[in-house]
Amino acid sequence: MARQIQFKQTGGPDVLEVAEIKPPRPGKGEVRIANRAIGLNFIDIYVRSGLYPAPLPSLLGTEGAGVIEAVGEGVDDFAEGDHVAYAQGPLGAYSDFIVIPADKVITLPRSIDFETAAAGMLKGLTVQYLLRQTYSVGEDDTILFHAAAGGVGSIACQWAHALGAHVIGTVSSGEKSDIAKNNGAWMTIDYTRESVPERVRELTDGAMVPVVYDSVGKDTWTDSLSCLSKRGLMVSFGNASGPVEGVNLVELNKGGSLFVTRPSLGGYADTRERFEMMCDDFFGVLEAGDVKINIGQRFALEDAGKAHQALANRETTGSTILTL
């Protein structure tokens, strides 16, 4: 028997339940992975709360790392005992095991441990498409990244610094400012005490920034637009404070012919070739030491609800994982 986190109705962390089930055999084109560590992400909260609808009852989680313990018919690229990681569903990572299509799985270099992979796969691939594809960050670029001390932000600060960019990161405390700076941020802005647009204007001598990366959503939308230079790109990739609604195209014109995009990992890692390219890029910066995954919190699998509460309350730094 194996443990699996389920929920029968959407709501708060209290809807999560631990169930015991017998792990099924993988079907055609699938593998079964014995999880060694599981990644926790804000998207999990969106699914649990109903912001991102899922058929009920539902499972939770899309990211983890472990060892293949069974392969289905037609799977030739993996074998029992392989160390692997994954970041894109199906839902069900919050479990002792997961059955998943083999084309969503990547072989894990032995130099990268399970906890690092589970804590970094989804966030690292997100940063890959943000910095390398959505907007190609180059040397001497000055960029604004919200929630710079969080899981995605911590990786982004390091990776952008390695690319030679200057990161202005928003934070909510002096402690988080120190974290962002230690990860390579050039400057930080405490949004609880300072006006983000005014401070960006000061730091850039009025030039503002060519791109803003915003995972906060509703609460920061207007300020983010105000930080952009003419023809700047607003990258809204999360909804931590709620979804952005009622986008006014006239405001984009007034701001200086601004661009807006709402990307997702699925929109970029949409083929096996692109998925492998993105993983290779991410694993490369890990192995080079340009990016280190900071695991700020570890929760037992059965404490997934507590982990969700801590993440929602912004009580976490770096990445959070569930342990088995």
Side-chain angles (χ1 to χ4, degrees):
M1 301 298 285
R3 298 168 300 163
Q4 188 176 66
I5 301 296
Q6 304 175 353
F7 62 101
K8 298 175 183 176
Q9 62 184 35
T10 58
D14 58 302
V15 302
L16 300 182
E17 302 174 345
V18 180
E20 288 195 357
I21 67 167
K22 183 178 180 180
R25 291 286 304 174
K28 184 177 181 180
E30 296 179 329
V31 298
R32 189 175 73 216
I33 300 168
N35 283 324
R36 295 291 186 264
I38 301 158
L40 185 141
N41 299 280
F42 231 100
I43 193 172
D44 302 342
I45 293 177
Y46 301 157
V47 174
R48 187 211 71 220
S49 67
L51 179 62
Y52 289 1
L56 297 175
S58 181
L59 306 179
L60 204 58
T62 61
E63 175 187 38
V67 179
I68 290 182
E69 59 180 17
V71 297
E73 178 187 350
V75 176
D76 300 319
D77 295 333
F78 299 100
E80 292 181 21
D82 284 352
H83 289 202
V84 295
Y86 57 93
Q88 293 178 278
L91 295 174
Y94 285 24
S95 178
D96 288 318
F97 73 95
I98 186 170
V99 173
I100 186 171
D103 63 359
K104 299 295 185 184
V105 177
I106 195 76
T107 299
L108 193 61
R110 290 302 176 107
S111 60
I112 301 174
D113 63 72
F114 294 124
E115 288 197 351
T116 296
M121 275 292 289
L122 191 145
K123 298 175 184 68
L125 295 183
T126 296
V127 173
Q128 197 284 334
Y129 78 71
L130 290 175
L131 301 186
R132 307 287 278 166
Q133 298 187 73
T134 307
Y135 178 93
S136 183
V137 172
E139 190 170 359
D140 294 328
D141 273 340
T142 298
I143 66 175
L144 178 66
F145 211 102
H146 285 289
V152 173
S154 294
I155 296 172
C157 286
Q158 295 177 72
W159 203 332
H161 178 73
L163 293 170
H166 304 291
V167 180
I168 302 172
T170 68
V171 296
S172 60
S173 68
E175 178 187 2
K176 292 189 174 184
S177 175
D178 291 341
I179 291 170
K181 288 181 178 178
N182 288 337
N183 282 321
W186 170 56
M187 292 288 179
T188 59
I189 302 172
D190 185 339
Y191 63 82
T192 67
R193 300 187 299 105
E194 304 172 278
S195 164
V196 175
E198 288 180 8
R199 187 67 178 129
V200 169
R201 189 175 301 279
E202 292 173 2
L203 292 171
T204 61
D205 294 325
M208 310 310 279
V209 296
V211 60
V212 174
Y213 295 104
D214 190 339
S215 62
V216 179
K218 180 180 177 181
D219 289 353
T220 51
W221 173 258
T222 300
D223 278 355
S224 291
L225 291 179
S226 299
C227 292
L228 288 167
S229 58
K230 287 184 178 180
R231 298 175 298 281
L233 175 62
M234 170 63 180
V235 184
S236 178
F237 68 99
N239 316 291
S241 67
V244 175
E245 298 176 344
V247 177
N248 188 338
L249 296 181
V250 173
E251 292 302 313
L252 303 183
N253 174 261
K254 289 180 179 179
S257 299
L258 304 178
F259 293 87
V260 174
T261 184
R262 179 59 172 89
S264 67
L265 178 57
Y268 279 88
D270 57 344
T271 66
R272 181 66 190 183
E273 182 180 21
R274 289 180 72 92
F275 175 55
E276 290 181 353
M277 177 275 292
M278 293 169 67
C279 288
D280 287 346
D281 199 12
F282 175 50
F283 291 160
V285 295
L286 287 180
E287 292 181 310
D290 291 332
V291 171
K292 294 180 174 61
I293 305 301
N294 170 37
I295 301 174
Q297 301 75 216
R298 292 174 174 83
F299 290 86
L301 176 63
E302 57 268 25
D303 290 330
K306 294 179 181 178
H308 276 217
Q309 193 65 59
L311 189 62
N313 291 345
R314 301 188 185 183
E315 296 170 352
T316 64
T317 58
S319 297
T320 302
I321 62 170
L322 301 178
T323 58
L324 300 159

Coordinates of all heavy atoms in Angstrom, one line a residue, residues 183-264:
N183 N 21.6 36.0 -3.6 CA 21.4 35.2 -4.8 C 21.8 36.0 -6.0 O 21.5 35.5 -7.2 CB 20.0 34.7 -4.9 CG 19.7 33.6 -4.0 OD1 20.5 32.7 -3.8 ND2 18.5 33.5 -3.3
G184 N 22.3 37.2 -5.9 CA 22.7 37.9 -7.1 C 22.0 39.2 -7.5 O 22.3 39.8 -8.5
A185 N 20.9 39.5 -6.7 CA 20.1 40.7 -7.0 C 21.0 41.9 -6.9 O 21.8 42.0 -5.9 CB 18.9 40.8 -6.2
W186 N 20.9 42.8 -7.8 CA 21.7 44.1 -7.8 C 21.2 45.0 -6.7 O 21.9 45.5 -5.9 CB 21.7 44.7 -9.2 CG 22.2 46.1 -9.2 CD1 23.4 46.5 -8.9 CD2 21.5 47.3 -9.7 NE1 23.6 47.9 -9.1 CE2 22.4 48.4 -9.6 CE3 20.2 47.5 -10.2 CZ2 22.1 49.7 -10.0 CZ3 19.9 48.8 -10.6 CH2 20.8 49.9 -10.5
M187 N 19.8 45.2 -6.7 CA 19.2 46.1 -5.8 C 17.8 45.4 -5.4 O 17.3 44.6 -6.2 CB 18.9 47.4 -6.3 CG 20.1 48.3 -6.6 SD 20.8 48.8 -5.0 CE 22.2 49.8 -5.6
T188 N 17.3 45.7 -4.2 CA 16.0 45.2 -3.8 C 15.1 46.4 -3.4 O 15.6 47.5 -3.0 CB 16.1 44.3 -2.6 OG1 16.7 44.9 -1.5 CG2 16.8 43.0 -3.0
I189 N 13.8 46.2 -3.5 CA 12.8 47.2 -3.1 C 11.8 46.5 -2.2 O 11.2 45.5 -2.5 CB 12.0 47.7 -4.3 CG1 13.0 48.4 -5.4 CG2 11.0 48.7 -3.9 CD1 12.3 48.7 -6.7
D190 N 11.7 47.1 -1.0 CA 10.8 46.6 0.0 C 9.4 47.2 -0.3 O 9.2 48.4 0.0 CB 11.2 46.9 1.4 CG 10.3 46.3 2.5 OD1 9.1 46.0 2.2 OD2 10.7 46.2 3.7
Y191 N 8.5 46.4 -0.9 CA 7.3 47.0 -1.4 C 6.3 47.4 -0.3 O 5.3 48.0 -0.5 CB 6.6 46.0 -2.4 CG 6.2 44.7 -1.8 CD1 5.0 44.6 -1.1 CD2 7.0 43.6 -2.0 CE1 4.6 43.3 -0.6 CE2 6.6 42.4 -1.5 CZ 5.4 42.2 -0.8 OH 5.1 41.0 -0.2
T192 N 6.6 46.9 1.0 CA 5.8 47.3 2.1 C 6.1 48.7 2.6 O 5.3 49.3 3.4 CB 6.0 46.3 3.3 OG1 7.3 46.4 3.8 CG2 5.7 44.9 2.8
R193 N 7.3 49.2 2.2 CA 7.7 50.6 2.7 C 8.0 51.6 1.5 O 8.0 52.8 1.8 CB 9.0 50.4 3.5 CG 8.8 49.5 4.7 CD 10.0 49.6 5.6 NE 11.3 49.1 4.9 CZ 12.2 49.9 4.5 NH1 12.1 51.2 4.6 NH2 13.3 49.4 3.9
E194 N 8.2 51.1 0.3 CA 8.6 51.9 -0.8 C 7.6 51.8 -1.9 O 7.0 50.8 -2.2 CB 10.0 51.6 -1.2 CG 11.1 51.6 -0.1 CD 12.4 51.1 -0.6 OE1 12.6 49.8 -0.6 OE2 13.3 51.9 -1.0
S195 N 7.6 52.9 -2.7 CA 6.9 52.8 -4.0 C 7.8 52.1 -5.0 O 8.9 52.6 -5.3 CB 6.5 54.2 -4.5 OG 6.1 54.2 -5.9
V196 N 7.3 51.0 -5.6 CA 8.1 50.3 -6.5 C 8.4 51.1 -7.8 O 9.6 51.2 -8.2 CB 7.5 48.9 -6.9 CG1 8.3 48.2 -8.0 CG2 7.4 48.0 -5.6
P197 N 7.4 51.7 -8.4 CA 7.7 52.5 -9.6 C 8.7 53.7 -9.3 O 9.6 54.0 -10.1 CB 6.4 53.0 -10.1 CG 5.4 52.0 -9.5 CD 6.0 51.6 -8.2
E198 N 8.5 54.4 -8.2 CA 9.4 55.5 -7.9 C 10.8 55.1 -7.7 O 11.8 55.7 -8.1 CB 8.9 56.3 -6.7 CG 7.6 57.1 -6.9 CD 7.1 57.8 -5.7 OE1 7.8 57.8 -4.7 OE2 6.0 58.3 -5.7
R199 N 11.0 53.9 -7.0 CA 12.3 53.4 -6.7 C 13.0 52.9 -8.0 O 14.2 53.1 -8.2 CB 12.2 52.3 -5.7 CG 13.6 51.8 -5.2 CD 14.3 52.9 -4.4 NE 15.6 52.4 -3.9 CZ 16.7 53.0 -4.1 NH1 16.8 54.1 -4.7 NH2 17.8 52.4 -3.6
V200 N 12.2 52.3 -8.8 CA 12.8 51.8 -10.1 C 13.2 53.0 -10.9 O 14.3 53.0 -11.6 CB 11.7 51.0 -10.9 CG1 12.2 50.8 -12.4 CG2 11.5 49.7 -10.2
R201 N 12.4 54.1 -10.9 CA 12.8 55.3 -11.6 C 14.1 55.9 -11.1 O 15.0 56.3 -11.9 CB 11.7 56.4 -11.5 CG 11.9 57.6 -12.4 CD 10.7 58.5 -12.3 NE 9.5 57.8 -12.7 CZ 9.1 57.6 -14.0 NH1 9.9 58.1 -15.0 NH2 8.0 57.0 -14.3
E202 N 14.3 55.9 -9.8 CA 15.5 56.4 -9.2 C 16.7 55.5 -9.6 O 17.8 56.0 -9.9 CB 15.4 56.4 -7.7 CG 14.4 57.4 -7.1 CD 14.2 57.3 -5.6 OE1 14.9 56.4 -5.0 OE2 13.4 58.0 -5.0
L203 N 16.5 54.2 -9.5 CA 17.6 53.2 -9.7 C 18.1 53.2 -11.2 O 19.2 52.9 -11.5 CB 17.2 51.8 -9.3 CG 17.1 51.6 -7.8 CD1 16.5 50.2 -7.6 CD2 18.4 51.7 -7.1
T204 N 17.2 53.6 -12.1 CA 17.5 53.5 -13.5 C 17.7 54.9 -14.1 O 17.7 55.0 -15.4 CB 16.4 52.8 -14.3 OG1 15.1 53.5 -14.2 CG2 16.2 51.4 -13.8
D205 N 17.8 55.9 -13.3 CA 17.9 57.3 -13.8 C 16.8 57.7 -14.7 O 17.0 58.4 -15.7 CB 19.3 57.5 -14.4 CG 20.4 57.4 -13.4 OD1 20.2 57.8 -12.2 OD2 21.5 56.9 -13.8
G206 N 15.6 57.2 -14.5 CA 14.4 57.5 -15.3 C 14.2 56.7 -16.5 O 13.2 56.8 -17.2
A207 N 15.1 55.8 -16.8 CA 15.0 54.9 -18.0 C 14.0 53.8 -17.8 O 13.4 53.3 -18.8 CB 16.3 54.3 -18.3
M208 N 13.7 53.4 -16.6 CA 12.8 52.3 -16.3 C 13.4 51.0 -16.9 O 14.5 50.9 -17.2 CB 11.4 52.5 -16.8 CG 10.8 53.9 -16.4 SD 11.0 54.3 -14.6 CE 9.6 53.4 -13.9
V209 N 12.6 49.9 -16.9 CA 13.2 48.6 -17.3 C 12.5 48.0 -18.5 O 11.3 48.3 -18.8 CB 13.0 47.6 -16.1 CG1 13.9 48.0 -14.9 CG2 11.6 47.4 -15.7
P210 N 13.2 47.2 -19.3 CA 12.6 46.7 -20.5 C 11.6 45.5 -20.3 O 10.9 45.2 -21.2 CB 13.8 46.3 -21.3 CG 14.8 45.9 -20.3 CD 14.6 46.9 -19.2
V211 N 11.8 44.9 -19.1 CA 10.9 43.7 -18.8 C 10.6 43.7 -17.3 O 11.5 44.0 -16.5 CB 11.6 42.4 -19.3 CG1 12.9 42.2 -18.6 CG2 10.6 41.2 -19.1
V212 N 9.4 43.3 -17.0 CA 9.0 43.0 -15.6 C 8.5 41.6 -15.5 O 7.6 41.2 -16.3 CB 7.9 44.0 -15.1 CG1 7.4 43.6 -13.7 CG2 8.4 45.4 -15.1
Y213 N 9.0 40.9 -14.6 CA 8.5 39.5 -14.3 C 7.7 39.5 -13.1 O 8.2 39.8 -12.0 CB 9.7 38.5 -14.1 CG 10.5 38.4 -15.4 CD1 11.8 39.0 -15.5 CD2 10.1 37.6 -16.5 CE1 12.6 38.8 -16.6 CE2 10.9 37.4 -17.6 CZ 12.1 38.0 -17.7 OH 12.9 37.9 -18.8
D214 N 6.4 39.2 -13.2 CA 5.4 39.3 -12.1 C 4.6 38.1 -11.9 O 3.8 37.7 -12.7 CB 4.5 40.5 -12.4 CG 3.6 40.9 -11.3 OD1 3.4 40.1 -10.4 OD2 3.1 42.1 -11.3
S215 N 4.9 37.4 -10.7 CA 4.1 36.2 -10.4 C 3.1 36.6 -9.3 O 2.3 35.7 -8.8 CB 5.0 35.2 -9.8 OG 5.7 35.6 -8.7
V216 N 3.0 37.8 -8.9 CA 2.1 38.2 -7.8 C 0.7 38.4 -8.3 O -0.3 38.0 -7.7 CB 2.6 39.5 -7.1 CG1 1.6 39.9 -6.0 CG2 4.0 39.3 -6.5
G217 N 0.5 39.1 -9.5 CA -0.8 39.2 -10.1 C -1.5 40.5 -9.8 O -1.0 41.6 -10.0
K218 N -2.7 40.4 -9.3 CA -3.6 41.5 -9.1 C -3.0 42.7 -8.4 O -3.2 43.8 -8.8 CB -4.9 40.9 -8.4 CG -5.9 42.0 -8.1 CD -7.1 41.3 -7.3 CE -8.2 42.4 -7.0 NZ -9.3 41.7 -6.2
D219 N -2.4 42.4 -7.3 CA -1.9 43.5 -6.4 C -0.8 44.3 -7.0 O -0.6 45.5 -6.6 CB -1.4 43.0 -5.1 CG -2.6 42.5 -4.2 OD1 -3.7 42.7 -4.6 OD2 -2.3 41.9 -3.1
T220 N 0.0 43.8 -7.9 CA 1.2 44.5 -8.5 C 1.0 44.9 -9.9 O 1.9 45.5 -10.5 CB 2.4 43.6 -8.3 OG1 2.1 42.3 -8.9 CG2 2.8 43.4 -6.9
W221 N -0.1 44.6 -10.5 CA -0.3 44.8 -12.0 C 0.0 46.2 -12.4 O 0.8 46.5 -13.3 CB -1.7 44.3 -12.4 CG -2.1 44.7 -13.8 CD1 -2.8 45.7 -14.2 CD2 -1.6 44.0 -15.0 NE1 -2.9 45.7 -15.6 CE2 -2.2 44.6 -16.1 CE3 -0.8 42.9 -15.2 CZ2 -2.0 44.2 -17.4 CZ3 -0.6 42.4 -16.5 CH2 -1.2 43.1 -17.6
T222 N -0.7 47.2 -11.8 CA -0.6 48.6 -12.1 C 0.9 49.1 -11.9 O 1.4 49.8 -12.8 CB -1.5 49.4 -11.3 OG1 -2.9 49.0 -11.6 CG2 -1.4 50.9 -11.7
D223 N 1.4 48.8 -10.8 CA 2.8 49.2 -10.5 C 3.8 48.6 -11.5 O 4.7 49.3 -11.9 CB 3.2 48.8 -9.1 CG 2.7 49.8 -8.0 OD1 2.2 50.9 -8.4 OD2 2.9 49.6 -6.9
S224 N 3.6 47.4 -11.9 CA 4.5 46.7 -12.8 C 4.5 47.4 -14.2 O 5.5 47.7 -14.8 CB 4.1 45.2 -13.0 OG 4.3 44.5 -11.8
L225 N 3.3 47.7 -14.6 CA 3.2 48.5 -15.9 C 3.9 49.8 -15.8 O 4.6 50.2 -16.8 CB 1.7 48.7 -16.3 CG 0.9 47.5 -16.7 CD1 -0.5 47.9 -17.1 CD2 1.5 46.7 -17.9
S226 N 3.8 50.4 -14.7 CA 4.4 51.8 -14.5 C 6.0 51.7 -14.5 O 6.6 52.7 -14.6 CB 3.9 52.4 -13.2 OG 2.5 52.6 -13.2
C227 N 6.5 50.5 -14.3 CA 8.0 50.3 -14.2 C 8.6 50.1 -15.6 O 9.8 50.1 -15.7 CB 8.3 49.2 -13.3 SG 8.0 49.4 -11.6
L228 N 7.8 49.9 -16.6 CA 8.3 49.6 -18.0 C 8.7 50.8 -18.8 O 8.1 51.9 -18.7 CB 7.3 48.8 -18.7 CG 7.0 47.4 -18.3 CD1 5.7 46.8 -18.9 CD2 8.2 46.5 -18.6
S229 N 9.8 50.6 -19.5 CA 10.2 51.6 -20.5 C 9.3 51.5 -21.7 O 8.5 50.5 -21.8 CB 11.7 51.4 -20.9 OG 11.9 50.1 -21.4
K230 N 9.4 52.4 -22.7 CA 8.6 52.3 -23.9 C 8.9 51.0 -24.6 O 10.0 50.5 -24.7 CB 9.0 53.5 -24.8 CG 8.5 54.8 -24.4 CD 8.7 55.9 -25.4 CE 8.2 57.2 -25.0 NZ 8.4 58.3 -25.9
R231 N 7.8 50.4 -25.1 CA 7.8 49.1 -25.8 C 8.3 48.0 -24.8 O 8.8 47.0 -25.3 CB 8.7 49.2 -27.1 CG 8.1 50.2 -28.1 CD 9.0 50.3 -29.3 NE 10.3 50.8 -29.0 CZ 10.6 52.1 -28.7 NH1 9.6 53.0 -28.8 NH2 11.8 52.5 -28.4
G232 N 8.2 48.2 -23.6 CA 8.6 47.2 -22.6 C 7.7 46.0 -22.5 O 6.5 46.1 -23.0
L233 N 8.1 44.9 -22.0 CA 7.3 43.7 -21.9 C 6.9 43.4 -20.5 O 7.8 43.2 -19.6 CB 8.2 42.5 -22.5 CG 7.5 41.1 -22.4 CD1 6.2 41.1 -23.2 CD2 8.5 40.1 -22.9
M234 N 5.7 43.2 -20.3 CA 5.1 42.8 -19.0 C 4.9 41.3 -19.0 O 4.1 40.8 -19.8 CB 3.8 43.5 -18.7 CG 3.0 43.0 -17.5 SD 3.9 43.2 -16.0 CE 2.7 42.5 -14.8
V235 N 5.6 40.6 -18.2 CA 5.5 39.1 -18.2 C 4.7 38.7 -16.9 O 5.3 38.7 -15.8 CB 6.9 38.4 -18.2 CG1 6.7 36.9 -18.3 CG2 7.7 38.9 -19.4
S236 N 3.5 38.4 -17.0 CA 2.6 38.1 -15.9 C 2.5 36.5 -15.8 O 1.8 36.0 -16.7 CB 1.3 38.7 -16.0 OG 0.4 38.3 -14.9
F237 N 3.2 35.9 -14.9 CA 3.3 34.4 -14.9 C 2.7 33.8 -13.7 O 3.0 32.6 -13.5 CB 4.7 33.9 -15.2 CG 5.7 34.2 -14.1 CD1 6.1 33.2 -13.3 CD2 6.3 35.4 -14.0 CE1 7.0 33.4 -12.3 CE2 7.3 35.7 -13.0 CZ 7.6 34.7 -12.1
G238 N 2.0 34.5 -12.8 CA 1.4 33.9 -11.7 C 0.3 34.8 -11.1 O 0.1 35.9 -11.5
N239 N -0.4 34.2 -10.1 CA -1.5 34.9 -9.5 C -1.5 34.8 -8.0 O -2.6 34.6 -7.3 CB -2.8 34.3 -10.0 CG -2.9 34.0 -11.4 OD1 -2.9 34.9 -12.2 ND2 -2.8 32.7 -11.8
A240 N -0.4 35.0 -7.3 CA -0.3 34.8 -5.9 C -1.3 35.7 -5.1 O -1.8 35.3 -4.1 CB 1.1 35.1 -5.4
S241 N -1.6 36.9 -5.6 CA -2.6 37.8 -4.9 C -3.9 37.7 -5.6 O -4.8 38.5 -5.2 CB -2.0 39.2 -4.9 OG -2.0 39.7 -6.3
G242 N -4.1 36.9 -6.6 CA -5.4 36.8 -7.3 C -5.1 37.1 -8.8 O -4.1 37.7 -9.2
P243 N -6.0 36.6 -9.7 CA -5.8 36.8 -11.1 C -6.0 38.3 -11.6 O -6.7 39.0 -11.0 CB -6.9 35.9 -11.7 CG -7.9 35.8 -10.7 CD -7.2 35.9 -9.4
V244 N -5.2 38.6 -12.6 CA -5.4 40.0 -13.2 C -6.6 39.9 -14.1 O -6.8 39.0 -14.9 CB -4.1 40.3 -14.0 CG1 -4.4 41.6 -14.8 CG2 -2.9 40.4 -13.2
E245 N -7.5 40.9 -13.9 CA -8.7 41.0 -14.6 C -8.9 42.4 -15.3 O -8.3 43.3 -14.8 CB -9.9 40.7 -13.8 CG -9.9 39.3 -13.2 CD -11.1 39.0 -12.2 OE1 -11.7 40.0 -11.8 OE2 -11.3 37.8 -11.9
G246 N -9.6 42.4 -16.3 CA -10.0 43.7 -16.9 C -8.8 44.5 -17.5 O -8.6 45.7 -17.3
V247 N -7.9 43.8 -18.2 CA -6.7 44.4 -18.8 C -7.2 45.5 -19.8 O -8.0 45.2 -20.7 CB -5.8 43.4 -19.5 CG1 -4.7 44.1 -20.2 CG2 -5.3 42.4 -18.5
N248 N -6.7 46.7 -19.6 CA -7.1 47.8 -20.5 C -6.1 48.1 -21.5 O -5.0 48.6 -21.2 CB -7.3 49.1 -19.6 CG -7.9 50.2 -20.3 OD1 -7.9 50.3 -21.5 ND2 -8.6 51.2 -19.6
L249 N -6.4 47.8 -22.8 CA -5.4 48.0 -23.8 C -5.0 49.5 -24.0 O -3.9 49.7 -24.4 CB -6.0 47.4 -25.1 CG -6.2 45.9 -25.2 CD1 -6.8 45.5 -26.6 CD2 -5.0 45.1 -24.8
V250 N -5.9 50.4 -23.7 CA -5.6 51.8 -23.8 C -4.4 52.1 -22.8 O -3.5 52.9 -23.2 CB -6.8 52.7 -23.4 CG1 -6.4 54.1 -23.4 CG2 -7.9 52.4 -24.5
E251 N -4.4 51.5 -21.7 CA -3.3 51.8 -20.7 C -2.0 51.3 -21.3 O -0.9 51.9 -21.0 CB -3.6 51.0 -19.4 CG -4.8 51.6 -18.6 CD -4.6 53.1 -18.3 OE1 -3.5 53.5 -17.9 OE2 -5.5 53.9 -18.5
L252 N -2.0 50.2 -22.0 CA -0.7 49.8 -22.7 C -0.2 50.8 -23.7 O 1.0 51.0 -23.8 CB -1.0 48.4 -23.4 CG -1.5 47.3 -22.5 CD1 -1.6 46.0 -23.3 CD2 -0.6 47.0 -21.3
N253 N -1.2 51.4 -24.4 CA -0.8 52.4 -25.3 C -0.2 53.7 -24.6 O 0.8 54.2 -25.0 CB -2.0 52.8 -26.2 CG -1.7 54.0 -27.1 OD1 -2.1 55.1 -26.7 ND2 -1.1 53.8 -28.2
K254 N -0.9 54.1 -23.5 CA -0.4 55.3 -22.8 C 0.9 55.0 -22.1 O 1.7 55.9 -22.0 CB -1.5 55.6 -21.7 CG -2.8 56.2 -22.2 CD -3.7 56.5 -21.1 CE -5.0 57.1 -21.5 NZ -5.9 57.4 -20.4
G255 N 1.2 53.8 -21.8 CA 2.5 53.5 -21.1 C 3.6 53.5 -22.1 O 4.8 53.4 -21.6
G256 N 3.4 53.5 -23.4 CA 4.5 53.6 -24.3 C 4.5 52.4 -25.2 O 5.6 51.7 -25.4
S257 N 3.3 52.0 -25.8 CA 3.2 50.8 -26.7 C 3.8 49.6 -26.0 O 4.7 48.9 -26.5 CB 4.0 51.1 -28.0 OG 3.5 52.2 -28.7
L258 N 3.3 49.3 -24.8 CA 3.7 48.2 -24.0 C 3.2 46.8 -24.5 O 2.2 46.8 -25.2 CB 3.3 48.3 -22.6 CG 3.7 49.6 -21.9 CD1 3.1 49.7 -20.4 CD2 5.2 49.8 -21.9
F259 N 4.0 45.8 -24.3 CA 3.6 44.4 -24.6 C 3.3 43.7 -23.3 O 3.9 43.9 -22.3 CB 4.8 43.7 -25.3 CG 5.1 44.2 -26.7 CD1 6.0 45.3 -26.8 CD2 4.5 43.7 -27.8 CE1 6.3 45.8 -28.0 CE2 4.9 44.2 -29.1 CZ 5.8 45.2 -29.2
V260 N 2.3 42.7 -23.4 CA 2.0 41.9 -22.3 C 1.9 40.4 -22.7 O 1.4 40.2 -23.8 CB 0.6 42.3 -21.7 CG1 0.2 41.3 -20.6 CG2 0.7 43.7 -21.1
T261 N 2.4 39.5 -21.8 CA 2.2 38.1 -22.1 C 1.9 37.4 -20.8 O 2.3 37.8 -19.8 CB 3.5 37.5 -22.8 OG1 3.3 36.2 -23.1 CG2 4.7 37.6 -21.8
R262 N 1.2 36.3 -21.0 CA 0.9 35.4 -19.8 C 1.3 34.0 -20.2 O 0.6 33.2 -20.7 CB -0.7 35.4 -19.6 CG -1.1 34.5 -18.4 CD -0.4 34.9 -17.1 NE -0.9 34.2 -15.9 CZ -0.5 33.1 -15.5 NH1 0.5 32.4 -16.1 NH2 -1.0 32.5 -14.4
P263 N 2.6 33.7 -20.0 CA 3.2 32.5 -20.4 C 3.0 31.4 -19.3 O 2.6 31.6 -18.2 CB 4.7 32.8 -20.5 CG 4.9 33.8 -19.4 CD 3.6 34.6 -19.4
S264 N 3.3 30.1 -19.7 CA 3.2 29.0 -18.8 C 4.2 28.0 -19.3 O 4.7 28.0 -20.4 CB 1.8 28.4 -18.8 OG 1.6 27.8 -20.1

